[in-house]
Amino acid sequence: MQVSVSGALDGLRVLDATQMLAGPLAGARFGDLGADVIKVESPRGGEFNRTHGFADARHAGEMTTFLAVNRNKRSVAVDLKHPDGVEVFQHLAAESDVVLQNFRRGTAERLGVGYEDLRAVNPRLVYCSISGFGATGPYRDRPGQDLIVQGYSGSMYSVGASGDTPAPGALWAADVMTGYTAVIGVLAALQSLSSTGLGQHVEIDMLTVVLDSQLQELVTFLNTGEAPTRSETPSAHASIPAPYGVYRTSDGWLTLAMSPLPALGDLLDDDWLRSLTSYNDGMERRDDVFRHIESAFLPRSTAEWIEVADRHGVWAGPVHDYPAVAADPHVLATATIVEQPQSGGMTRTVRPPIRMSETPPSVRRGAPALGEHTREVLSEFGYEQSRIDELVACGAVSEVVSAL
């Protein structure tokens, strides 16, 4: 069967007025799946990640953090503090399917691009608001930053030893999961639109997303009062029995997941571990087990232990750093690292994580220069060149010469 050259969302038009991570990631996913994603940015520097990045690291003239989550988009530079700029945004929204925004609470409404403002010009519009804590409640104006949300969520007490400082996740999990949840919510609203003919307001907040990701822990606590309790020794999760954790080897580190202790005893030729036959032994004796095996893996390399663990049915793996990830044989064999076009060259990145047999996601263009597509997009939306010239002259919109 011939694979379609268009993505699954070909024909969908998305206005992405977001910045930082959760919103731009959602926009990039729509782009990966074939949607026409138009990134609306302020002419004054563009979105946050254009000027703020990890160690000020740049590639092809842009912050790497911006390149990471803004592929498959076109950039239009619009000044929403200018009345003509607001008119331009409303005009774009009138002929679009989706708007993504993560302005501070009340900002979109004050600017004239809130849900009610845009629904008036396009009743079919799916309007997605992304925030840290939602539009109501006492935390509604608090900053929606990943670490802050992790702290509020209770998740930081699920890792480490009882005396440790609460440990945040190294992944930007709150942001990333929020971005994916936004995509799910918008797609559900689009499905509803197909049968009702009406758009709607989709609201996604980071705290609820992170709480939802802890359903097993929270349902247990809310219904039994049993909360995760960190052990005296390091644990990868306070609710999972030993040997769940990380152990030093002769050349690095080994992860051990949820494996029966007798199987681990066979791996280490240890009769005491073989005697721990109850599933609850791993929970009740977590500290004893950790201390017992803490140094047991030092005689061999991580690769050697993984080979032995596989033979004994013990779930194990390495702890990679980024160079090891990039050289990992599975990552290479599955072509997980790909290239996207950028400023006449290529930028290495991670492929879209979704596979589809008929309408596969693709990386068709790199992250845009600020305002690179202003004239192109406005022309497509019916603006005459003379009117675009006027908008540029008065500062309502801006354009740049493409670097590609």
Side-chain angles (χ1 to χ4, degrees), residues 153-159 210-229 236-240 244:
S153 75
S155 65
M156 291 168 62
Y157 279 100
S158 290
V159 181
V210 179
L211 293 178
D212 178 70
S213 72
Q214 300 175 86
L215 280 176
Q216 294 182 101
E217 296 89 338
L218 283 171
V219 168
T220 299
F221 169 72
L222 293 172
N223 293 279
T224 70
E226 292 289 331
T229 303
H237 195 286
S239 295
I240 306 298
Y244 200 69

Side-chain angles (χ1 to χ4, degrees), residues 69-145:
V69 291
N70 285 288
R71 67 189 182 206
N72 287 331
K73 302 179 185 180
R74 297 188 289 170
S75 173
V76 176
V78 181
D79 186 356
L80 293 180
K81 296 182 179 180
H82 193 294
D84 284 350
V86 174
E87 181 274 324
V88 168
F89 192 96
Q90 292 182 348
H91 183 92
L92 299 181
E95 298 186 33
S96 295
D97 303 293
V98 177
V99 166
L100 304 174
Q101 67 90 0
N102 62 351
F103 294 113
R104 287 184 177 273
R105 188 178 68 90
T107 299
E109 291 74 17
R110 176 171 51 81
L111 293 173
V113 295
Y115 173 59
E116 295 299 334
D117 300 303
L118 300 186
R119 184 173 71 162
V121 299
N122 183 359
R124 296 177 58 85
L125 185 68
V126 173
Y127 184 102
C128 181
S129 299
I130 301 171
S131 66
F133 297 92
T136 62
Y139 298 158
R140 62 188 181 275
D141 292 321
R142 293 195 61 75
Q145 197 279 331

